Amino acid sequence: MLRSVDSYLHLPRRRYFSALEVHAAIIGSIAAVVVLLGYGFDVEPVQSLAPGFPTMKLRTAACLMALSLSYLLSLRTSARAHRGSVAIAAAVLGVIVYSLATPSLPVAGDPWSIRPSFGTHLCLGACAAAMLVIKLAPRLGMVAGALALMAATPAMFRIIGLILLGGAADPSSPLNTMALHTAALIVWFALVPLILHPALPFGRALLQASLRGRLLRSALPFSMLLPVTAAAVSFSAQAVLDWPGEALFAFSATINVVVGALLMWWLSSVAERWQAEANAQAARLSRANEALEQYASSAAHDLKAPVRHVLLYGELL
């Protein structure tokens, strides 16, 4: 069962692994459905999701299946699973580099010869490189996180662009043939399994119950979605209104400045609210300590009186 981020806080280590395995397995299964039904049985709606939208290429679906398998193996502790995960991720990266270095013309009747867009290659290559960093150099967790964000951001922009423009393709765009479900699976794979991988520090920071974890869980979705949304709105304005580059830059800069200022204001209000909650909690603890001290003083007085009586009767005896 898919879980929200906060629900991961209550998962023990083994169940946390299992939850990440579910995400990776679903991503790989969707890619397998595209391969088996979309190309094995030539079911076109599985390839494109909607008429007029770009299709998920066979190479893309195979790479997503391989990356999901590499991820599942990366959660195992055996040396064989480690080698298998590294080998699969390296093979995916090699296929992507080879596909970029040797462009080929599509052959009629051969779906494997159809090349994905440059943006799809970039996103999948960043995911494969992040997997290699996780397995070969886990100390470079920041590099793996940067690669995951590098893979997710163009795909997020593509999703918004496809929805706003209804699947219209721009031949000059490096994302022109990335399908909607391709972009969604890349974003899903990069932002959930990769970022929350147990070998990286991000999962621990995001899921901890401290103030830092709460702030990260609240701020990160907005900090990632708002700039991408602003860029998509700017892109749509350029496509619809045919603005020149200078006006497009000014409009995009204005949106990002306003969004950044609003984000900073929102974060400061969140921090202020949490500070007020912390002060209220400190005041409650102070009152509880005072009540405890009064109770201890009263209990000590009540205990001293019987002792004095015992001592007095002892002296009389």
PDB file of all heavy atoms in Angstrom, residues 27 123 126-127 130 144-145 147-153 155 184-197 200:
ATOM      1  N   ILE A  27       6.409   0.880 -10.230  1.00  0.00           N
ATOM      2  CA  ILE A  27       6.984   1.600 -11.373  1.00  0.00           C
ATOM      3  C   ILE A  27       7.456   0.611 -12.439  1.00  0.00           C
ATOM      4  O   ILE A  27       7.170   0.770 -13.635  1.00  0.00           O
ATOM      5  CB  ILE A  27       8.140   2.499 -10.903  1.00  0.00           C
ATOM      6  CG1 ILE A  27       7.600   3.617 -10.011  1.00  0.00           C
ATOM      7  CG2 ILE A  27       8.896   3.089 -12.096  1.00  0.00           C
ATOM      8  CD1 ILE A  27       8.671   4.411  -9.304  1.00  0.00           C
ATOM      9  N   CYS A 123      17.056  12.355 -18.292  1.00  0.00           N
ATOM     10  CA  CYS A 123      16.409  11.975 -17.035  1.00  0.00           C
ATOM     11  C   CYS A 123      16.746  10.539 -16.641  1.00  0.00           C
ATOM     12  O   CYS A 123      17.100  10.261 -15.486  1.00  0.00           O
ATOM     13  CB  CYS A 123      14.898  12.153 -17.150  1.00  0.00           C
ATOM     14  SG  CYS A 123      14.358  13.862 -17.359  1.00  0.00           S
ATOM     15  N   ALA A 126      20.366  10.311 -15.563  1.00  0.00           N
ATOM     16  CA  ALA A 126      20.589  10.834 -14.217  1.00  0.00           C
ATOM     17  C   ALA A 126      20.127   9.830 -13.161  1.00  0.00           C
ATOM     18  O   ALA A 126      20.787   9.652 -12.124  1.00  0.00           O
ATOM     19  CB  ALA A 126      19.848  12.159 -14.058  1.00  0.00           C
ATOM     20  N   CYS A 127      18.999   9.147 -13.410  1.00  0.00           N
ATOM     21  CA  CYS A 127      18.537   8.112 -12.465  1.00  0.00           C
ATOM     22  C   CYS A 127      19.532   6.963 -12.378  1.00  0.00           C
ATOM     23  O   CYS A 127      19.843   6.477 -11.275  1.00  0.00           O
ATOM     24  CB  CYS A 127      17.165   7.592 -12.893  1.00  0.00           C
ATOM     25  SG  CYS A 127      15.804   8.759 -12.682  1.00  0.00           S
ATOM     26  N   ALA A 130      22.561   8.094 -10.473  1.00  0.00           N
ATOM     27  CA  ALA A 130      22.268   8.163  -9.041  1.00  0.00           C
ATOM     28  C   ALA A 130      22.309   6.779  -8.405  1.00  0.00           C
ATOM     29  O   ALA A 130      22.821   6.612  -7.288  1.00  0.00           O
ATOM     30  CB  ALA A 130      20.903   8.815  -8.822  1.00  0.00           C
ATOM     31  N   ALA A 144      24.086  12.045  -5.341  1.00  0.00           N
ATOM     32  CA  ALA A 144      22.939  11.223  -5.749  1.00  0.00           C
ATOM     33  C   ALA A 144      21.635  12.009  -5.650  1.00  0.00           C
ATOM     34  O   ALA A 144      20.766  11.917  -6.526  1.00  0.00           O
ATOM     35  CB  ALA A 144      22.868   9.965  -4.891  1.00  0.00           C
ATOM     36  N   GLY A 145      21.490  12.807  -4.591  1.00  0.00           N
ATOM     37  CA  GLY A 145      20.291  13.624  -4.466  1.00  0.00           C
ATOM     38  C   GLY A 145      20.173  14.674  -5.562  1.00  0.00           C
ATOM     39  O   GLY A 145      19.088  14.908  -6.095  1.00  0.00           O
ATOM     40  N   LEU A 147      21.450  14.419  -8.560  1.00  0.00           N
ATOM     41  CA  LEU A 147      21.109  13.704  -9.793  1.00  0.00           C
ATOM     42  C   LEU A 147      19.625  13.347  -9.837  1.00  0.00           C
ATOM     43  O   LEU A 147      18.978  13.427 -10.891  1.00  0.00           O
ATOM     44  CB  LEU A 147      21.967  12.449  -9.915  1.00  0.00           C
ATOM     45  CG  LEU A 147      23.447  12.664 -10.223  1.00  0.00           C
ATOM     46  CD1 LEU A 147      24.224  11.360 -10.064  1.00  0.00           C
ATOM     47  CD2 LEU A 147      23.620  13.204 -11.639  1.00  0.00           C
ATOM     48  N   ALA A 148      19.065  12.945  -8.683  1.00  0.00           N
ATOM     49  CA  ALA A 148      17.638  12.624  -8.638  1.00  0.00           C
ATOM     50  C   ALA A 148      16.791  13.858  -8.944  1.00  0.00           C
ATOM     51  O   ALA A 148      15.817  13.787  -9.702  1.00  0.00           O
ATOM     52  CB  ALA A 148      17.274  12.044  -7.272  1.00  0.00           C
ATOM     53  N   LEU A 149      17.160  15.001  -8.368  1.00  0.00           N
ATOM     54  CA  LEU A 149      16.420  16.229  -8.656  1.00  0.00           C
ATOM     55  C   LEU A 149      16.611  16.652 -10.109  1.00  0.00           C
ATOM     56  O   LEU A 149      15.681  17.170 -10.747  1.00  0.00           O
ATOM     57  CB  LEU A 149      16.871  17.345  -7.712  1.00  0.00           C
ATOM     58  CG  LEU A 149      16.503  17.165  -6.236  1.00  0.00           C
ATOM     59  CD1 LEU A 149      17.067  18.307  -5.414  1.00  0.00           C
ATOM     60  CD2 LEU A 149      14.999  17.075  -6.056  1.00  0.00           C
ATOM     61  N   MET A 150      17.822  16.428 -10.644  1.00  0.00           N
ATOM     62  CA  MET A 150      18.087  16.744 -12.047  1.00  0.00           C
ATOM     63  C   MET A 150      17.208  15.900 -12.959  1.00  0.00           C
ATOM     64  O   MET A 150      16.767  16.360 -14.027  1.00  0.00           O
ATOM     65  CB  MET A 150      19.565  16.500 -12.364  1.00  0.00           C
ATOM     66  CG  MET A 150      19.992  16.915 -13.768  1.00  0.00           C
ATOM     67  SD  MET A 150      21.691  16.415 -14.116  1.00  0.00           S
ATOM     68  CE  MET A 150      22.555  17.264 -12.805  1.00  0.00           C
ATOM     69  N   ALA A 151      16.931  14.665 -12.559  1.00  0.00           N
ATOM     70  CA  ALA A 151      16.059  13.801 -13.361  1.00  0.00           C
ATOM     71  C   ALA A 151      14.596  14.195 -13.231  1.00  0.00           C
ATOM     72  O   ALA A 151      13.834  14.122 -14.204  1.00  0.00           O
ATOM     73  CB  ALA A 151      16.246  12.340 -12.936  1.00  0.00           C
ATOM     74  N   ALA A 152      14.186  14.624 -12.038  1.00  0.00           N
ATOM     75  CA  ALA A 152      12.766  14.887 -11.798  1.00  0.00           C
ATOM     76  C   ALA A 152      12.307  16.217 -12.372  1.00  0.00           C
ATOM     77  O   ALA A 152      11.164  16.327 -12.850  1.00  0.00           O
ATOM     78  CB  ALA A 152      12.477  14.847 -10.299  1.00  0.00           C
ATOM     79  N   THR A 153      13.173  17.241 -12.354  1.00  0.00           N
ATOM     80  CA  THR A 153      12.716  18.587 -12.719  1.00  0.00           C
ATOM     81  C   THR A 153      12.259  18.704 -14.170  1.00  0.00           C
ATOM     82  O   THR A 153      11.158  19.212 -14.436  1.00  0.00           O
ATOM     83  CB  THR A 153      13.824  19.601 -12.416  1.00  0.00           C
ATOM     84  OG1 THR A 153      14.188  19.498 -11.039  1.00  0.00           O
ATOM     85  CG2 THR A 153      13.344  21.013 -12.690  1.00  0.00           C
ATOM     86  N   ALA A 155      11.152  16.370 -16.082  1.00  0.00           N
ATOM     87  CA  ALA A 155       9.949  15.551 -16.222  1.00  0.00           C
ATOM     88  C   ALA A 155       8.742  16.248 -15.602  1.00  0.00           C
ATOM     89  O   ALA A 155       7.624  16.179 -16.149  1.00  0.00           O
ATOM     90  CB  ALA A 155      10.167  14.185 -15.579  1.00  0.00           C
ATOM     91  N   ALA A 184       5.741  10.985 -15.650  1.00  0.00           N
ATOM     92  CA  ALA A 184       5.207  10.687 -14.318  1.00  0.00           C
ATOM     93  C   ALA A 184       6.019   9.600 -13.624  1.00  0.00           C
ATOM     94  O   ALA A 184       6.322   9.699 -12.429  1.00  0.00           O
ATOM     95  CB  ALA A 184       3.744  10.260 -14.440  1.00  0.00           C
ATOM     96  N   LEU A 185       6.408   8.554 -14.348  1.00  0.00           N
ATOM     97  CA  LEU A 185       7.198   7.480 -13.738  1.00  0.00           C
ATOM     98  C   LEU A 185       8.586   7.970 -13.354  1.00  0.00           C
ATOM     99  O   LEU A 185       9.130   7.563 -12.315  1.00  0.00           O
ATOM    100  CB  LEU A 185       7.301   6.301 -14.707  1.00  0.00           C
ATOM    101  CG  LEU A 185       6.008   5.513 -14.958  1.00  0.00           C
ATOM    102  CD1 LEU A 185       6.257   4.375 -15.938  1.00  0.00           C
ATOM    103  CD2 LEU A 185       5.439   4.964 -13.664  1.00  0.00           C
ATOM    104  N   ILE A 186       9.187   8.835 -14.163  1.00  0.00           N
ATOM    105  CA  ILE A 186      10.509   9.364 -13.827  1.00  0.00           C
ATOM    106  C   ILE A 186      10.441  10.214 -12.563  1.00  0.00           C
ATOM    107  O   ILE A 186      11.288  10.093 -11.660  1.00  0.00           O
ATOM    108  CB  ILE A 186      11.076  10.171 -15.014  1.00  0.00           C
ATOM    109  CG1 ILE A 186      11.435   9.226 -16.163  1.00  0.00           C
ATOM    110  CG2 ILE A 186      12.302  10.973 -14.593  1.00  0.00           C
ATOM    111  CD1 ILE A 186      11.855   9.943 -17.429  1.00  0.00           C
ATOM    112  N   VAL A 187       9.436  11.092 -12.481  1.00  0.00           N
ATOM    113  CA  VAL A 187       9.283  11.915 -11.275  1.00  0.00           C
ATOM    114  C   VAL A 187       9.048  11.024 -10.057  1.00  0.00           C
ATOM    115  O   VAL A 187       9.639  11.235  -8.989  1.00  0.00           O
ATOM    116  CB  VAL A 187       8.117  12.908 -11.468  1.00  0.00           C
ATOM    117  CG1 VAL A 187       7.800  13.618 -10.161  1.00  0.00           C
ATOM    118  CG2 VAL A 187       8.463  13.926 -12.540  1.00  0.00           C
ATOM    119  N   TRP A 188       8.189  10.034 -10.202  1.00  0.00           N
ATOM    120  CA  TRP A 188       7.890   9.114  -9.102  1.00  0.00           C
ATOM    121  C   TRP A 188       9.154   8.375  -8.663  1.00  0.00           C
ATOM    122  O   TRP A 188       9.453   8.302  -7.458  1.00  0.00           O
ATOM    123  CB  TRP A 188       6.816   8.147  -9.584  1.00  0.00           C
ATOM    124  CG  TRP A 188       6.262   7.215  -8.548  1.00  0.00           C
ATOM    125  CD1 TRP A 188       6.618   7.110  -7.237  1.00  0.00           C
ATOM    126  CD2 TRP A 188       5.220   6.257  -8.745  1.00  0.00           C
ATOM    127  NE1 TRP A 188       5.882   6.142  -6.600  1.00  0.00           N
ATOM    128  CE2 TRP A 188       5.019   5.602  -7.508  1.00  0.00           C
ATOM    129  CE3 TRP A 188       4.452   5.881  -9.844  1.00  0.00           C
ATOM    130  CZ2 TRP A 188       4.077   4.596  -7.356  1.00  0.00           C
ATOM    131  CZ3 TRP A 188       3.515   4.875  -9.683  1.00  0.00           C
ATOM    132  CH2 TRP A 188       3.323   4.242  -8.453  1.00  0.00           C
ATOM    133  N   PHE A 189       9.896   7.847  -9.617  1.00  0.00           N
ATOM    134  CA  PHE A 189      11.083   7.076  -9.275  1.00  0.00           C
ATOM    135  C   PHE A 189      12.150   7.962  -8.627  1.00  0.00           C
ATOM    136  O   PHE A 189      12.830   7.542  -7.677  1.00  0.00           O
ATOM    137  CB  PHE A 189      11.647   6.419 -10.541  1.00  0.00           C
ATOM    138  CG  PHE A 189      12.822   5.519 -10.284  1.00  0.00           C
ATOM    139  CD1 PHE A 189      12.646   4.247  -9.777  1.00  0.00           C
ATOM    140  CD2 PHE A 189      14.117   5.951 -10.552  1.00  0.00           C
ATOM    141  CE1 PHE A 189      13.732   3.409  -9.537  1.00  0.00           C
ATOM    142  CE2 PHE A 189      15.208   5.122 -10.323  1.00  0.00           C
ATOM    143  CZ  PHE A 189      15.012   3.848  -9.807  1.00  0.00           C
ATOM    144  N   ALA A 190      12.307   9.184  -9.116  1.00  0.00           N
ATOM    145  CA  ALA A 190      13.371  10.052  -8.614  1.00  0.00           C
ATOM    146  C   ALA A 190      13.060  10.606  -7.230  1.00  0.00           C
ATOM    147  O   ALA A 190      13.954  10.693  -6.373  1.00  0.00           O
ATOM    148  CB  ALA A 190      13.625  11.192  -9.599  1.00  0.00           C
ATOM    149  N   LEU A 191      11.800  10.970  -6.993  1.00  0.00           N
ATOM    150  CA  LEU A 191      11.456  11.665  -5.757  1.00  0.00           C
ATOM    151  C   LEU A 191      11.028  10.749  -4.620  1.00  0.00           C
ATOM    152  O   LEU A 191      10.981  11.204  -3.468  1.00  0.00           O
ATOM    153  CB  LEU A 191      10.337  12.683  -6.028  1.00  0.00           C
ATOM    154  CG  LEU A 191      10.693  13.820  -6.983  1.00  0.00           C
ATOM    155  CD1 LEU A 191       9.550  14.814  -7.072  1.00  0.00           C
ATOM    156  CD2 LEU A 191      11.982  14.520  -6.560  1.00  0.00           C
ATOM    157  N   VAL A 192      10.711   9.499  -4.907  1.00  0.00           N
ATOM    158  CA  VAL A 192      10.325   8.602  -3.808  1.00  0.00           C
ATOM    159  C   VAL A 192      11.394   7.531  -3.578  1.00  0.00           C
ATOM    160  O   VAL A 192      12.110   7.580  -2.573  1.00  0.00           O
ATOM    161  CB  VAL A 192       8.930   7.991  -4.052  1.00  0.00           C
ATOM    162  CG1 VAL A 192       8.557   7.048  -2.902  1.00  0.00           C
ATOM    163  CG2 VAL A 192       7.880   9.089  -4.155  1.00  0.00           C
ATOM    164  N   PRO A 193      11.569   6.550  -4.458  1.00  0.00           N
ATOM    165  CA  PRO A 193      12.578   5.522  -4.174  1.00  0.00           C
ATOM    166  C   PRO A 193      13.998   6.075  -4.069  1.00  0.00           C
ATOM    167  O   PRO A 193      14.738   5.725  -3.143  1.00  0.00           O
ATOM    168  CB  PRO A 193      12.434   4.542  -5.348  1.00  0.00           C
ATOM    169  CG  PRO A 193      11.056   4.757  -5.865  1.00  0.00           C
ATOM    170  CD  PRO A 193      10.804   6.212  -5.682  1.00  0.00           C
ATOM    171  N   LEU A 194      14.406   6.939  -5.000  1.00  0.00           N
ATOM    172  CA  LEU A 194      15.786   7.412  -4.987  1.00  0.00           C
ATOM    173  C   LEU A 194      16.065   8.320  -3.796  1.00  0.00           C
ATOM    174  O   LEU A 194      17.020   8.111  -3.043  1.00  0.00           O
ATOM    175  CB  LEU A 194      16.111   8.137  -6.293  1.00  0.00           C
ATOM    176  CG  LEU A 194      16.444   7.262  -7.509  1.00  0.00           C
ATOM    177  CD1 LEU A 194      16.824   8.129  -8.697  1.00  0.00           C
ATOM    178  CD2 LEU A 194      17.579   6.285  -7.195  1.00  0.00           C
ATOM    179  N   ILE A 195      15.253   9.359  -3.632  1.00  0.00           N
ATOM    180  CA  ILE A 195      15.512  10.321  -2.555  1.00  0.00           C
ATOM    181  C   ILE A 195      15.410   9.663  -1.181  1.00  0.00           C
ATOM    182  O   ILE A 195      16.184   9.976  -0.269  1.00  0.00           O
ATOM    183  CB  ILE A 195      14.526  11.503  -2.656  1.00  0.00           C
ATOM    184  CG1 ILE A 195      14.862  12.361  -3.885  1.00  0.00           C
ATOM    185  CG2 ILE A 195      14.583  12.363  -1.399  1.00  0.00           C
ATOM    186  CD1 ILE A 195      16.183  13.088  -3.802  1.00  0.00           C
ATOM    187  N   LEU A 196      14.468   8.736  -1.015  1.00  0.00           N
ATOM    188  CA  LEU A 196      14.259   8.096   0.288  1.00  0.00           C
ATOM    189  C   LEU A 196      15.059   6.809   0.449  1.00  0.00           C
ATOM    190  O   LEU A 196      14.805   6.041   1.381  1.00  0.00           O
ATOM    191  CB  LEU A 196      12.769   7.808   0.488  1.00  0.00           C
ATOM    192  CG  LEU A 196      11.843   9.016   0.520  1.00  0.00           C
ATOM    193  CD1 LEU A 196      10.402   8.577   0.752  1.00  0.00           C
ATOM    194  CD2 LEU A 196      12.264  10.003   1.584  1.00  0.00           C
ATOM    195  N   HIS A 197      16.033   6.547  -0.429  1.00  0.00           N
ATOM    196  CA  HIS A 197      16.831   5.319  -0.313  1.00  0.00           C
ATOM    197  C   HIS A 197      17.532   5.283   1.047  1.00  0.00           C
ATOM    198  O   HIS A 197      18.082   6.297   1.506  1.00  0.00           O
ATOM    199  CB  HIS A 197      17.858   5.259  -1.441  1.00  0.00           C
ATOM    200  CG  HIS A 197      18.461   3.912  -1.618  1.00  0.00           C
ATOM    201  ND1 HIS A 197      19.412   3.385  -0.752  1.00  0.00           N
ATOM    202  CD2 HIS A 197      18.256   2.940  -2.556  1.00  0.00           C
ATOM    203  CE1 HIS A 197      19.764   2.183  -1.152  1.00  0.00           C
ATOM    204  NE2 HIS A 197      19.071   1.890  -2.236  1.00  0.00           N
ATOM    205  N   LEU A 200      21.015   6.879   1.644  1.00  0.00           N
ATOM    206  CA  LEU A 200      21.181   8.324   1.556  1.00  0.00           C
ATOM    207  C   LEU A 200      20.692   8.991   2.839  1.00  0.00           C
ATOM    208  O   LEU A 200      19.832   8.453   3.540  1.00  0.00           O
ATOM    209  CB  LEU A 200      20.405   8.875   0.353  1.00  0.00           C
ATOM    210  CG  LEU A 200      20.799   8.327  -1.020  1.00  0.00           C
ATOM    211  CD1 LEU A 200      19.960   8.979  -2.111  1.00  0.00           C
ATOM    212  CD2 LEU A 200      22.279   8.527  -1.288  1.00  0.00           C
TER     213      LEU A 200
END
